[in-house]
Each structure stands twice: as C-alpha cells, then as structure tokens.
Amino acid sequence: MSFSTLGLLPELVRAVEEKGYTTPTPIQAGTIPAILTGRDVLAGAQTGTGKTAAFVLPILQLLSQGVPGGPRSAPRALVLTPTRELAAQIADNAAGYGRYLALRTAVVYGGVGVNPQIDQLRRGCDLLIATPGRLLDLSEQRVLDLSRIRCFVLDEADRMLDMGFIHAIRRVLKLLPGERQNMMFSATYSQDIRALAQRILRDPVTVEVASRNATAERVTQCLYRVPKENKRHLLAHLIQDGNWQQVLVFTRTKHGANRLAKQLEGAGIATGAIHGNKSQNARVRALEDFKSVRITALVATEVAARGLDIKELPHVVNYELPNVPEDYVHRIGRTARAGASGSAVSLVASDEEPLLRDIERLLKRSIPVAPLPAFPILNTPEADPGAERAGADRAVPQRRPRSAPQDSRHRPGTRERHPGNGQSTQAHRRGESPARQATGGARRSGEAHRPHSPQDRRGERRGGHTGTGRTDSGWRRA
Ligand code: AMP
C-alpha cells in the first residue's frame, strides 16, 4: 500500500516520500481515509506507531481543500496535546508534511514567553497545536479565536487525563463550535477515556493498532534486583562499562531526576534532566543535547518524556518502576520506535516488587532477571539534601579518582573499576547481599581505597555498620 492509495494529495505524498516513508503504518492506513471522508475517529495507538502523521496528513489535506484562511485568520484545526515537547514535535512534523501546501501552522505552549505566540496568532494560522493551559490563557486574553475550528484532535488523551487536564479539556470544548470533526488518540482505554470519547466523538470510526505491548516485544528487557541506595552506582557502572552512548533514564519524581542527574554528572557521565519544573528553554536544550549525543544520559520524569521521538534510542533505564504498569510499556517503547529495537533495563528495589508483578501481569510474561555485576561505589556528590541530613548514603566509601575515562565525553570522574567478578562470586558464596559485594568486595580486593578525609573515614565506618552493608529484606541471598 502506498500513501497515494490512501487518497492523499500529491503534495503530501511527495513530502512524506522525501521524509523516507514508503508505506503507511497501520494506524495511518486506518485513520487517513476515515478522516478524509469527514468521519470522527477514535484511535488506539501509542507514540512510535506513526500516529502524528495519521492525523496531521489528512487534516492538512482538509484544510487545503476548505475555504482558505486569509491573513490574520483564526485557526481552522486544533490539536490539543499534553506536553510542550509533544506540541513542538507535532508542529515540526506538520511543517515538514505541509511544505508543499500554502498552510500556516502555529504552536503555543507554556513555559516560554507569550508575546511571540501572540504575534504568531495575530499573523494568522490554519492549524494550531497547543497545550491546554496556554491555549486557555490566550483565549482568555482574547488573542485567540477558536470559533472557526472545524477539526479537533485530542492527542494522547489518556495522558491528558493522567496529568489532570480533564477540566481544561472541558473548558476548551466549550470554546469550540458544535459543528466540527473530532479525533481522539489514546494508548489506553480506561473507563474515563471511554466516557470522554462518548462526550466528544460522534459515530466514530474506531482504529486499533497492534496490542498495547507489541512494542515491548521488540525490546530486549531485563531487570536487576538492587537495593535503592546502590541504584545510582549500578547505573553509572552499566553506562560506563557498557560504553552506552545514549540512555534515557526514568525517575518517578522531578526531585529524583535532578538528584540523579547530579550524581551521574559527579560520576563523570555527561547528563541532562528534563521534567516539568525546568524552564522550557532548559528542556529544549537538554533534549537537543541528548538527541545530538552531546550528553550521554537524559534523566526524565514520565510526563516530560512522554511522546519524545528520539531516533533509534538504544537504551532505556527504569531507575524506578512506574506506579502505573502501562507506563512501563510507554517508557520502554522509547527505544523501539519505527521498527527499531533496543534495550530496556529496570532497577528494582525490594519495595518495588508489587509494581513489578503488575507490570509482568500486563506483559503476560516475566522480565528476565540479570545477574548483578560487581560494580564500584562511586565518590559522587550527595545531591539530596534530605539524605545528607539523615546521613543516608554517606556510608558509601569515598574513593579517590584514579584513571582518566576512556570515552572523551565522560568527564574526568572518580570512577574506579571493580577488581572483577571473581570476588563478587566469592562474596556471593558468602551469602552477602550485592550491596555488600559492591563495597565489601572492593575492600577485600586490597585496591587503593583509603578514605582521604575525616568525613570520608566517618562514612567508611558507618558503611561497615549500617550503610551499603545493610541488606534490603527482599535482598538477602540464601
Ligand atoms: P509518531 O508515532 O507519530 O511519534 O511517529 C514515530 C516515528 O515514526 C517518527 O519518527 C516518524 O517520523 C516515523 N514515521 C511516521 N510514519 C512513518 C511511516 N509511514 N514510515 C516510516 N516512518 C514513519
């Protein structure tokens, strides 16, 4: 099947061919003809399936065939999407797909100055892509007229609801004219999503592509059972030992993302963070640095990373398991986009076992457990003031930098190699926890490991009693 057989204009077919697309993806084959005939659509598809083109292409065609908007005209199509990054991504795609059509696209989202967006709207646009908050602000300021909207897309509807946008969505709907075509895209179908679909859509064509966890099948998954306090050390080891060039790391909280980014930086790994508390400019910069591989690791919260399209991303790490099992599938789906494959590693502490069980139930299979490698405990700064106060993690022995990193992008750090697996095996035989192996092993090895400050020595002593030697209850090996 080709794009032209879907009924698309030659200008659009040419634009997608120039992007290297030869065949429509299943979601595109399902939605494009329906949208072109004016039907409402309910599509079950997650990012990575080509869903953006599935609504942008036919909308551009409908816009180009409708009454043309003059200069200063109000938008005729609106795409509502949950995150700024996704909005910017959709706008980029729309600009690319519409390059041979005389249509104007505008994008508005929060976290950046409003004036350029107001100027953009005043100049007029045909297609508007927006996040809900900024859209409502602009509408309240009366710089945005939504009365001419004929096509409305609710993108990532499930994520919108997760992010608490339901009231904002209701308010946006009230601003739209009753006579319009609606499209709703959602990766999952909860009761709330069905209710929303019923409210918005009229006699929709339903398109469902590949099962929710189909992406997950193309990803090589494994997990390490590791105590919380050793996760950062293991992660640094995996990145450096595996010579990973690009890894997206998920944490549960914004604070946790910042803290881990600092810790990885301290370990000599160029790292950025992306989450809702960062300014838009900082988010864009971190994302660009990551896409162009100027940084190795990007630590992200679920919401910020949602929908990010990073080509051939090789590694995803769940530093903490998500509370919602479906999010696991979304997260690891970052690495298997547009047919590519990738690896997804989860670091699971004992208190996350129930979350793991939920995920495995959803996947209908268990995630292979990888043997814990011997990994060094790093002399990274303790970036969590709370932990500092409590003295947590201080127990980790402080170590002096020894060797220059192999990878030039890894800044000179403080990493020391663990002397090898033999000792880990011995430790294993002694029945020690991996945490114990990670520290105790190094001590037994006779490697340079002399604390070099009174504080360090304090840390070392505590380590002997309560710190990394402590075993998580789910962790003690028989
Ligand atoms: P999306 O699900 O819209 O985020 O798209 C995921 C990725 O697939 C993006 O990088 C698109 O450029 C790419 N893509 C979309 N449609 C096609 C297609 N028909 N053939 C190949 N790649 C595509």
Side-chain angles (χ1 to χ4, degrees):
M1 187 192 290
S2 71
F3 280 96
S4 47
T5 59
L6 297 179
L8 287 172
L9 291 170
E11 289 88 339
L12 290 167
V13 175
R14 185 173 161 204
V16 292
E17 281 175 356
E18 283 176 6
K19 277 195 143 253
Y21 308 172
T22 46
T23 7
T25 64
I27 190 74
Q28 292 161 0
T31 59
I32 290 173
I35 297 173
L36 286 177
T37 55
R39 295 287 301 272
D40 279 10
V41 166
L42 175 61
Q46 58 194 51
T47 53
T49 54
K51 75 175 169 62
T52 312
F55 60 81
V56 168
L57 288 170
I59 287 177
L60 290 176
Q61 178 150 334
L62 292 174
L63 288 173
S64 76
Q65 290 170 338
V67 183
R72 300 179 169 275
S73 62
R76 291 176 289 144
L78 171 66
V79 177
L80 206 57
T81 192
T83 66
R84 305 158 188 180
E85 282 75 18
L86 205 44
Q89 217 163 267
I90 296 169
D92 275 356
N93 285 353
Y97 301 147
R99 59 191 299 199
Y100 298 114
L101 298 173
L103 295 168
R104 288 157 309 165
T105 301
V107 56
V108 298
Y109 47 73
V112 291
V114 75
N115 288 335
Q117 296 179 355
I118 293 177
D119 291 346
Q120 196 188 15
L121 292 173
R122 288 209 169 116
R123 285 195 296 273
C125 70
D126 302 287
L127 169 63
L128 177 63
I129 297 139
T131 55
R134 181 56 61 94
L135 184 84
L136 289 167
D137 280 355
L138 290 164
S139 162
E140 272 158 23
Q141 289 183 44
R142 303 203 178 284
V143 286
L144 175 61
D145 170 14
L146 294 173
S147 68
R148 295 193 67 216
I149 297 293
R150 295 290 174 270
C151 288
F152 171 61
V153 180
L154 191 61
D155 186 30
E156 308 238 334
D158 50 349
R159 181 58 38 170
M160 290 267 201
L161 298 192
D162 289 352
M163 289 171 71
F165 281 139
I166 185 67
H167 300 294
I169 294 170
R170 288 201 189 116
R171 285 175 60 202
V172 171
L173 288 172
K174 282 194 190 132
L175 299 169
L176 303 181
E179 199 51 44
R180 59 172 202 267
Q181 185 179 0
N182 300 287
M183 288 136 254
M184 193 164 137
F185 285 74
S186 185
T188 54
Y189 284 136
S190 64
Q191 203 53 39
D192 290 343
I193 289 292
R194 284 177 212 284
L196 191 61
Q198 233 165 11
R199 184 189 167 126
I200 296 179
L201 306 172
R202 272 160 309 179
D203 185 25
V205 173
T206 303
V207 184
E208 177 93 44
V209 297
S211 72
R212 260 185 264 155
N213 49 18
T215 313
E217 271 143 34
R218 292 205 306 273
V219 182
T220 311
Q221 301 167 64
C222 76
L223 66 86
Y224 292 96
R225 290 201 156 95
V226 60
K228 229 177 239 150
E229 65 271 23
N230 277 345
K231 283 187 176 184
R232 63 193 170 107
H233 305 295
L234 172 60
L235 177 58
H237 171 77
L238 292 173
I239 294 172
Q240 292 176 318
D241 212 59
N243 198 20
W244 291 0
Q245 303 295 310
Q246 212 186 21
V247 51
L248 182 61
V249 183
F250 286 97
T251 58
R252 226 180 276 154
T253 64
K254 299 167 192 172
H255 177 63
N258 279 343
R259 183 176 51 199
L260 180 61
K262 281 194 191 132
Q263 289 166 338
L264 291 177
E265 276 281 328
I269 297 163
T271 305
I274 185 165
H275 55 68
N277 281 0
K278 293 260 178 195
S279 73
Q280 184 55 22
N281 285 343
R283 286 163 68 157
V284 168
R285 208 176 322 117
L287 192 59
E288 278 171 4
D289 283 350
F290 187 60
K291 282 185 175 178
S292 58
V293 205
R294 281 195 291 272
I295 55 175
T296 304
L298 184 64
V299 186
T301 54
E302 188 76 38
V303 158
R306 175 78 172 184
L308 295 183
D309 180 27
I310 301 160
K311 293 255 181 314
E312 291 164 24
L313 177 60
H315 303 283
V316 167
V317 170
N318 293 300
Y319 190 76
E320 287 142 341
L321 290 182
N323 290 330
V324 181
E326 278 84 1
D327 285 346
Y328 174 86
V329 179
H330 291 308
R331 286 179 179 190
I332 73 168
R334 311 291 86 227
T335 153
R337 300 172 73 68
S341 61
S343 101
V345 169
S346 299
L347 309 187
V348 183
S350 57
D351 62 351
E352 294 172 287
E353 290 292 338
L355 299 175
L356 176 62
R357 278 196 292 279
D358 288 347
I359 290 165
E360 292 185 329
R361 204 169 301 134
L362 174 72
L363 297 176
K364 296 197 179 72
R365 66 188 174 100
S366 54
I367 301 168
V369 181
L372 204 67
F375 57 90
I377 299 300
L378 301 165
N379 179 18
T380 53
E382 178 47 72
D384 178 3
E388 188 106 312
R389 273 194 307 280
D393 280 29
R394 282 252 209 88
V396 171
Q398 308 290 298
R399 309 175 97 198
R400 200 184 289 279
R402 238 180 29 151
S403 55
Q406 295 163 337
D407 185 323
S408 59
R409 283 181 311 103
H410 291 159
R411 303 202 190 118
T414 55
R415 178 169 189 266
E416 281 187 11
R417 284 190 174 276
H418 203 281
N421 285 331
Q423 126 200 345
S424 157
T425 314
Q426 283 171 12
H428 185 134
R429 275 196 218 109
R430 276 192 293 274
E432 291 176 0
S433 75
R436 183 89 182 167
Q437 292 175 37
T439 50
R443 275 176 231 160
R444 277 186 300 276
S445 75
E447 268 211 341
H449 175 63
R450 231 171 270 288
H452 44 268
S453 75
Q455 190 190 28
D456 292 342
R457 280 195 289 277
R458 249 195 332 274
E460 169 104 5
R461 271 201 303 278
R462 281 198 211 164
H465 300 300
T466 59
T468 46
R470 164 182 66 204
T471 51
D472 244 330
S473 55
W475 248 105
R476 197 178 289 279
R477 295 195 190 191

